[in-house]
Amino acid sequence: PDGIVDEDMIAANAVTAAKRGAGGILQVVQEVRTSTWSVIVGGSTYSSAAISKAITTSSSSSKVLVLMNVNVGYEGGDDMGFALYRGGSVVSGYTGDAASNRMRVASQTAVGNIYQQELLTGCYLDSPGSAAAHTYDIRLYYRGDTSVDRYIHVNKANNDGDTYDKTRSASSLTLIEVAA
């Protein structure tokens, strides 16, 4: 009677996609890695998935906002980067342009020495194109001699001695379905 519509007056699922409109948040899923992870990688090649999460989109027109935060350490003290993958293939819209022999990455940082970690971050609005399950993952690389294999670490530095000045961190991959 007062003309105000509040929460108890709205039936469950009464706000339809048509009423919600473009840009509405449909769902949010997140993978948080608090444990450490290490992998041996050849120079200028990608690792297996360092962190991974699946989302099932409700519409073929939905977009997925991908938020990435990965703390990395490295055995060699050199440049490191990552690529975003969906369904086992690199998301080409979120890597640098091809240019001769240069490695294509989404983001890169320099890990100055074996005692430190660096944060790799990214944000990308993807259009997967189907109402289905889509698995996103982050794969790491180091810039270096292709004949030398090196350790890459997530959530710890390469030198991880049990002392007060060493740290452990957390990494996350967040997927947000957005109505188109």
Side-chain angles (χ1 to χ4, degrees), residues 10 13-14 16 36 58 68 84 89 94 98 110 116 119 125 158-160 162-163 165-166:
I10 299 175
N13 298 316
T16 64
T36 62
S58 58
M68 302 152 272
L84 174 64
S89 298
Y94 193 60
Q116 73 186 79
L119 177 63
L125 186 61
N158 188 70
N159 185 320
D160 189 45
D162 190 12
T163 60
D165 60 342
K166 304 300 186 277

Short mmCIF file of all heavy atoms in Angstrom, two decimals, residues 10 13-14 16 36 58 68 84 89 94 98 110 116 119 125 158-160 162-163 165-166:
data_model
loop_
_atom_site.label_atom_id
_atom_site.label_comp_id
_atom_site.label_asym_id
_atom_site.label_seq_id
_atom_site.Cartn_x
_atom_site.Cartn_y
_atom_site.Cartn_z
N ILE A 10 9.13 -9.48 -3.53
CA ILE A 10 9.58 -10.05 -4.79
C ILE A 10 9.65 -11.56 -4.66
O ILE A 10 10.34 -12.09 -3.79
CB ILE A 10 10.96 -9.49 -5.20
CG1 ILE A 10 10.87 -7.97 -5.39
CG2 ILE A 10 11.48 -10.16 -6.47
CD1 ILE A 10 12.19 -7.31 -5.69
N ASN A 13 13.13 -15.70 -8.08
CA ASN A 13 13.38 -15.70 -9.52
C ASN A 13 12.45 -14.79 -10.32
O ASN A 13 12.23 -14.99 -11.50
CB ASN A 13 13.31 -17.12 -10.08
CG ASN A 13 14.37 -18.01 -9.48
OD1 ASN A 13 15.52 -17.60 -9.33
ND2 ASN A 13 13.99 -19.21 -9.09
N ALA A 14 11.88 -13.79 -9.65
CA ALA A 14 10.97 -12.88 -10.35
C ALA A 14 11.73 -11.89 -11.23
O ALA A 14 11.16 -11.32 -12.15
CB ALA A 14 10.12 -12.12 -9.34
N THR A 16 13.72 -11.48 -14.09
CA THR A 16 14.14 -12.24 -15.26
C THR A 16 15.29 -11.54 -15.98
O THR A 16 15.59 -10.37 -15.70
CB THR A 16 12.97 -12.40 -16.24
OG1 THR A 16 12.59 -11.09 -16.70
CG2 THR A 16 11.79 -13.10 -15.58
N THR A 36 51.27 -24.19 -2.13
CA THR A 36 52.31 -23.90 -3.13
C THR A 36 52.20 -24.90 -4.27
O THR A 36 51.62 -25.98 -4.13
CB THR A 36 53.72 -23.98 -2.51
OG1 THR A 36 53.94 -25.31 -2.04
CG2 THR A 36 53.87 -22.98 -1.37
N SER A 58 25.02 -19.51 -18.79
CA SER A 58 23.60 -19.78 -18.98
C SER A 58 23.08 -19.39 -20.36
O SER A 58 21.98 -19.76 -20.73
CB SER A 58 22.79 -19.05 -17.90
OG SER A 58 23.05 -17.67 -17.95
N MET A 68 42.48 -12.31 -12.58
CA MET A 68 43.61 -13.20 -12.31
C MET A 68 44.62 -12.53 -11.38
O MET A 68 45.00 -11.38 -11.62
CB MET A 68 44.31 -13.55 -13.62
CG MET A 68 43.40 -14.22 -14.63
SD MET A 68 43.90 -13.93 -16.35
CE MET A 68 43.04 -12.41 -16.71
N LEU A 84 46.35 -16.73 -20.52
CA LEU A 84 45.04 -17.21 -20.11
C LEU A 84 44.57 -18.24 -21.14
O LEU A 84 44.61 -17.98 -22.34
CB LEU A 84 44.05 -16.04 -20.04
CG LEU A 84 42.60 -16.39 -19.76
CD1 LEU A 84 42.45 -17.02 -18.37
CD2 LEU A 84 41.72 -15.15 -19.89
N SER A 89 43.02 -24.05 -24.90
CA SER A 89 43.63 -23.19 -25.92
C SER A 89 43.82 -21.79 -25.37
O SER A 89 42.98 -21.30 -24.60
CB SER A 89 42.75 -23.11 -27.17
OG SER A 89 42.60 -24.38 -27.75
N TYR A 94 43.54 -12.08 -25.54
CA TYR A 94 44.22 -11.56 -24.35
C TYR A 94 45.70 -11.97 -24.33
O TYR A 94 46.23 -12.41 -23.33
CB TYR A 94 43.50 -12.01 -23.08
CG TYR A 94 43.96 -11.26 -21.84
CD1 TYR A 94 43.83 -9.89 -21.76
CD2 TYR A 94 44.50 -11.93 -20.77
CE1 TYR A 94 44.25 -9.19 -20.64
CE2 TYR A 94 44.92 -11.26 -19.64
CZ TYR A 94 44.79 -9.88 -19.58
OH TYR A 94 45.20 -9.20 -18.46
N ALA A 98 51.41 -11.16 -32.40
CA ALA A 98 52.54 -11.92 -32.92
C ALA A 98 53.55 -10.95 -33.53
O ALA A 98 53.17 -10.00 -34.20
CB ALA A 98 52.07 -12.92 -33.97
N ALA A 110 59.35 -9.09 -13.96
CA ALA A 110 60.72 -9.54 -13.70
C ALA A 110 60.80 -10.04 -12.26
O ALA A 110 60.43 -9.32 -11.33
CB ALA A 110 61.72 -8.42 -13.92
N GLN A 116 62.58 -13.86 -4.02
CA GLN A 116 61.38 -13.05 -4.06
C GLN A 116 60.27 -13.67 -4.89
O GLN A 116 60.49 -14.57 -5.69
CB GLN A 116 61.70 -11.65 -4.59
CG GLN A 116 61.99 -11.61 -6.09
CD GLN A 116 62.44 -10.23 -6.55
OE1 GLN A 116 63.57 -9.87 -6.36
NE2 GLN A 116 61.52 -9.50 -7.16
N LEU A 119 53.82 -10.52 -8.27
CA LEU A 119 52.40 -10.73 -8.54
C LEU A 119 52.10 -10.47 -10.00
O LEU A 119 52.39 -9.40 -10.52
CB LEU A 119 51.55 -9.78 -7.67
CG LEU A 119 50.04 -9.84 -7.89
CD1 LEU A 119 49.49 -11.22 -7.53
CD2 LEU A 119 49.37 -8.76 -7.05
N LEU A 125 37.53 -9.49 -20.31
CA LEU A 125 36.13 -9.82 -20.56
C LEU A 125 36.07 -10.71 -21.80
O LEU A 125 36.28 -10.25 -22.92
CB LEU A 125 35.31 -8.54 -20.77
CG LEU A 125 33.80 -8.73 -20.91
CD1 LEU A 125 33.21 -9.37 -19.64
CD2 LEU A 125 33.12 -7.40 -21.20
N ASN A 158 61.64 -19.25 -4.93
CA ASN A 158 62.45 -20.44 -5.17
C ASN A 158 63.23 -20.81 -3.90
O ASN A 158 63.28 -21.96 -3.51
CB ASN A 158 63.42 -20.21 -6.33
CG ASN A 158 64.14 -21.48 -6.73
OD1 ASN A 158 63.52 -22.38 -7.28
ND2 ASN A 158 65.42 -21.57 -6.44
N ASN A 159 63.83 -19.83 -3.25
CA ASN A 159 64.50 -20.06 -1.97
C ASN A 159 63.44 -19.97 -0.89
O ASN A 159 63.00 -18.90 -0.52
CB ASN A 159 65.61 -19.03 -1.74
CG ASN A 159 66.39 -19.33 -0.48
OD1 ASN A 159 65.83 -19.73 0.53
ND2 ASN A 159 67.70 -19.15 -0.55
N ASP A 160 63.05 -21.11 -0.37
CA ASP A 160 61.90 -21.20 0.52
C ASP A 160 62.30 -21.77 1.87
O ASP A 160 61.60 -22.59 2.46
CB ASP A 160 60.83 -22.08 -0.15
CG ASP A 160 59.52 -22.08 0.59
OD1 ASP A 160 59.07 -21.00 1.00
OD2 ASP A 160 58.94 -23.17 0.76
N ASP A 162 63.01 -22.27 5.83
CA ASP A 162 62.08 -22.11 6.95
C ASP A 162 62.61 -21.04 7.92
O ASP A 162 63.04 -21.34 9.03
CB ASP A 162 61.90 -23.45 7.67
CG ASP A 162 60.77 -23.41 8.67
OD1 ASP A 162 59.99 -22.44 8.66
OD2 ASP A 162 60.68 -24.35 9.49
N THR A 163 62.55 -19.77 7.47
CA THR A 163 63.01 -18.65 8.29
C THR A 163 61.96 -17.55 8.26
O THR A 163 61.10 -17.50 7.39
CB THR A 163 64.35 -18.09 7.78
OG1 THR A 163 64.18 -17.63 6.43
CG2 THR A 163 65.44 -19.16 7.81
N ASP A 165 62.01 -14.54 7.37
CA ASP A 165 61.98 -13.60 6.25
C ASP A 165 61.47 -14.22 4.95
O ASP A 165 61.46 -13.56 3.92
CB ASP A 165 63.37 -12.99 6.03
CG ASP A 165 64.43 -14.03 5.70
OD1 ASP A 165 64.20 -15.23 5.97
OD2 ASP A 165 65.49 -13.65 5.18
N LYS A 166 61.02 -15.46 4.98
CA LYS A 166 60.42 -16.10 3.80
C LYS A 166 58.90 -16.02 3.93
O LYS A 166 58.35 -16.05 5.02
CB LYS A 166 60.85 -17.56 3.68
CG LYS A 166 62.36 -17.77 3.63
CD LYS A 166 62.98 -17.06 2.44
CE LYS A 166 64.45 -17.36 2.30
NZ LYS A 166 65.34 -16.56 3.12
#
